[in-house]
Amino acid sequence: DNAKWSIEKLFNNRHIITKPKFQRDKKWTPLPKKKGNSPNYKDYIEFLIENKNSVFPISFGTRLVNNEKKYIVIDGNNRINAIISFLEKPYQLFSKLYEQLFTILNSQTGKYKEQLKETVKNMNYRQLDNFRRLDDIINLEDYQQQGLTAVYVRDLEDELTLIQKKLKHTDGTSFLGTIILNINIFEDGTFEDYCRIFESINK
């Protein structure tokens, strides 16, 4: 079967996606290597954001476990890892986008700044995608009592909004819902069938 999944559908199904023993170890690095071109999570995510389409399909086999459908990764393990890593912690792949925000925080003397840095670093994509105001992610009143002023609140909100914008498609649509992944699904095969398909794809 040929299917089209949104990023959100892949992420929501991640608990029923398994990596079989015939899969190779991870080959991609999270970030580009300093020397040479090598496949990496960051470049793949940027490609998806720019093009809204994965081009090459991810291939799954299916099997029933306790009457629940499970997906076995045949091809696309590194791409799946890239997507899930990005959704769980965008900062790890795009830390350079956060530099100005941290410059603003470093200019302050309040005790809260390190805690706020960690909160921002640990935001997942959905939190970032839905961000509107700083009190979406922190108890603003507590931080104001520690010295966070209204001016800095606006500056930090502006910077987070810029980061949010850069991690959406240029038309402003979310990474979660509008990017389409091409999915090949092999139904009702045996483990040996899926191993053979994997070997054929990777010849």
Side-chain angles (χ1 to χ4, degrees):
D1 185 32
N2 301 116
K4 294 191 181 296
W5 287 12
S6 67
I7 295 287
E8 189 160 31
K9 181 170 182 178
L10 177 75
F11 190 70
N12 290 343
N13 280 326
R14 68 192 184 284
H15 66 288
I16 55 171
I17 295 173
T18 61
K19 175 187 169 184
K21 290 182 179 179
F22 60 72
Q23 272 288 344
R24 298 167 292 185
D25 293 333
K26 293 180 183 178
K27 296 294 184 183
W28 291 14
T29 55
L31 299 172
K33 292 182 179 177
K34 292 182 179 178
K35 293 183 179 180
N37 294 323
S38 61
N40 62 85
Y41 295 178
K42 182 175 181 286
D43 285 348
Y44 180 63
I45 297 303
E46 287 177 337
F47 177 87
L48 291 178
I49 291 171
E50 181 180 349
N51 296 286
K52 283 191 175 182
N53 194 297
S54 62
V55 183
F56 298 110
I58 291 170
S59 295
F60 293 126
T62 65
R63 64 190 179 105
L64 285 177
V65 178
N66 298 324
N67 292 320
E68 181 183 22
K69 182 185 283 188
K70 302 279 187 180
Y71 293 98
I72 298 171
V73 179
I74 296 175
D75 191 56
N77 189 53
N78 284 297
R79 284 167 281 163
I80 294 168
N81 288 331
I83 290 166
I84 291 174
S85 294
F86 171 63
L87 292 177
E88 288 179 340
K89 198 173 286 189
Y91 174 79
Q92 288 187 335
L93 301 186
F94 293 94
S95 59
K96 288 192 173 180
L97 296 181
Y98 294 70
E99 288 177 351
Q100 182 57 30
L101 185 145
F102 290 159
T103 297
I104 293 169
L105 277 173
N106 287 334
S107 70
Q108 300 173 57
T109 56
K111 295 178 181 178
Y112 58 83
K113 70 180 183 181
E114 292 303 321
Q115 183 180 349
L116 186 49
K117 277 186 194 178
E118 288 307 307
T119 298
V120 168
K121 287 179 181 179
N122 288 308
M123 287 176 72
N124 61 43
Y125 182 82
R126 194 181 298 279
Q127 289 172 309
L128 184 60
D129 191 41
N130 293 330
F131 176 80
R132 295 295 175 268
R133 297 171 57 85
L134 206 56
D135 54 9
D136 291 339
I137 60 169
I138 62 171
N139 184 329
L140 194 53
E141 187 176 331
D142 285 349
Y143 279 77
Q144 287 170 333
Q145 288 173 358
Q146 297 177 60
L148 181 61
T149 65
V151 172
Y152 280 124
V153 168
R154 287 194 296 273
D155 289 345
L156 294 170
E157 287 175 343
D158 288 346
E159 284 303 318
L160 272 169
T161 301
L162 282 174
I163 295 167
Q164 177 192 66
K165 184 177 179 181
K166 288 176 181 176
L167 296 178
K168 292 176 181 275
H169 189 263
T170 52
D171 64 9
T173 51
S174 169
F175 183 84
L176 280 168
T178 58
I179 292 169
I180 298 302
L181 300 171
N182 297 309
I183 307 288
N184 287 335
I185 301 174
F186 295 87
E187 298 274 3
D188 304 323
T190 64
F191 186 84
E192 289 73 22
D193 290 331
Y194 299 145
C195 182
R196 177 181 52 76
I197 294 167
F198 169 82
E199 290 172 350
S200 296
I201 290 172
N202 288 284
K203 276 182 179 177

